[in-house]
Amino acid sequence: MSRRIERFSTIDSTMHEAARLAAEGAPAGTAVVADEQTAGIGRHGHAWHSERRAGLYLSVILRPALEPSSLPLLTLALGLAMADAIRIAAGLACDLRWPNDVLSRGRKLAGILVQMHNSAAIAGIGINVNHESFPKHLAEEATSLRMETGCEHSRETLLEAVLLAVDGSSRMLVEDGPQAIVDLFSIRSSYVRGRRVRVAHQDDGDLVGVTAGLDSRGFLIVRKDDGSESLVLAGGVRPA
């Protein structure tokens, strides 16, 4: 299908530009891609490290026939899409960490952030592609396709795979329903069940326990040491 792709050498954030285009009525599937972001957006207000021409930095406008309450499920669907695209384009199998991280050998390879802007969902995607190293504060947590496979990868080939995978996973959520996404994410993620984790950014401080699956809305269930269960709506999940 024909797709509008706006390309930038440098931009503050592809999400900001995608939101502007969505407000102007840009159709679903419209993508904003940049070689470099000066203010890339991560979860909880964190910045996304966007080394020039090293990663794939893009945002896609989505207009799925979904209620705003389905946003968590859309995030899970896009995580599945990123893992599929990376496997197809780079031959690397990835793990998924609820709700929005794509991992290789426990280190973060890609992330997704979804925000609603009126009737449109803006999916911000960052994939570490040809980075050879990371700043000291990220070195223990981040990795790249190049670091994992030992060779450079085409960002354009990856972009094509990502856009096709986003279309497919979004369609699956709409046509097959939430449970299809919950079931598939649960299979593909080592973090959904039986993993001892620490969850930051909770009302009473950090939550520690063992993951016990996802509910029907895509939220994470954590069983605490006293046997009680907590439903995690958002937060940074890490091994405990």
Side-chain angles (χ1 to χ4, degrees):
M1 75 176 193
S2 174
R3 184 191 303 271
R4 178 180 176 183
I5 301 179
E6 298 288 336
R7 298 177 184 270
F8 294 84
S9 175
T10 300
I11 197 172
D12 57 351
S13 164
T14 60
M15 291 196 77
H16 292 162
E17 179 64 15
R20 187 186 69 79
L21 292 174
E24 293 178 352
T30 298
V32 178
V33 185
D35 289 334
E36 177 186 39
Q37 294 181 116
T38 58
I41 304 172
R43 281 174 63 84
H44 306 299
H46 296 158
W48 183 268
H49 178 64
S50 305
E51 181 183 333
R52 183 170 179 78
R53 293 200 176 109
L56 183 60
Y57 319 119
L58 74 150
S59 292
V60 185
I61 298 173
L62 303 173
R63 298 186 184 275
L66 297 169
E67 295 296 322
S69 60
S70 295
L71 198 62
L73 289 161
L74 182 57
T75 298
L76 300 187
L78 293 173
L80 290 166
M82 292 310 98
D84 286 342
I86 289 168
R87 176 180 51 80
I88 291 168
L92 183 66
C94 298
D95 191 11
L96 295 167
R97 181 169 61 199
W98 186 93
N100 69 328
D101 292 337
V102 182
L103 309 178
S104 178
R105 296 186 301 144
R107 294 189 176 188
K108 188 167 178 176
L109 184 65
I112 304 106
L113 180 64
V114 184
Q115 296 179 341
M116 292 299 299
H117 290 269
N118 297 320
S119 61
I122 309 299
I125 296 165
I127 303 177
N128 301 328
V129 183
N130 291 321
H131 301 68
E132 297 184 71
S133 63
F134 289 90
K136 186 175 181 180
H137 69 285
L138 297 175
E140 294 298 317
E141 183 175 339
T143 189
S144 71
L145 291 178
R146 181 171 182 170
M147 293 167 69
E148 294 301 300
T149 65
C151 60
E152 289 191 12
H153 293 270
S154 165
R155 291 183 299 139
E156 197 62 29
T157 297
L158 184 59
L159 172 62
E160 293 174 5
V162 164
L163 293 175
L164 287 174
V166 166
D167 290 345
S169 290
S170 301
R171 187 165 55 248
M172 177 189 293
L173 176 57
V174 173
E175 295 180 357
D176 297 342
Q179 197 60 47
I181 297 299
V182 168
D183 290 346
L184 189 54
F185 194 94
S186 299
I187 292 169
R188 301 276 294 275
S189 170
S190 72
Y191 276 80
V192 165
R193 190 175 295 276
R195 188 73 172 261
R196 187 165 180 81
V197 298
R198 180 181 301 274
V199 188
H201 307 293
Q202 303 306 294
D203 291 340
D204 298 326
D206 289 359
L207 167 67
V208 177
V210 177
T211 56
L214 303 175
D215 78 350
S216 61
R217 298 166 295 172
F219 296 127
L220 184 66
I221 303 166
V222 175
R223 184 174 294 117
K224 295 185 287 188
D225 293 342
D226 64 5
S228 64
E229 292 185 346
S230 291
L231 190 63
V232 181
L233 305 184
V237 176
R238 295 294 184 272

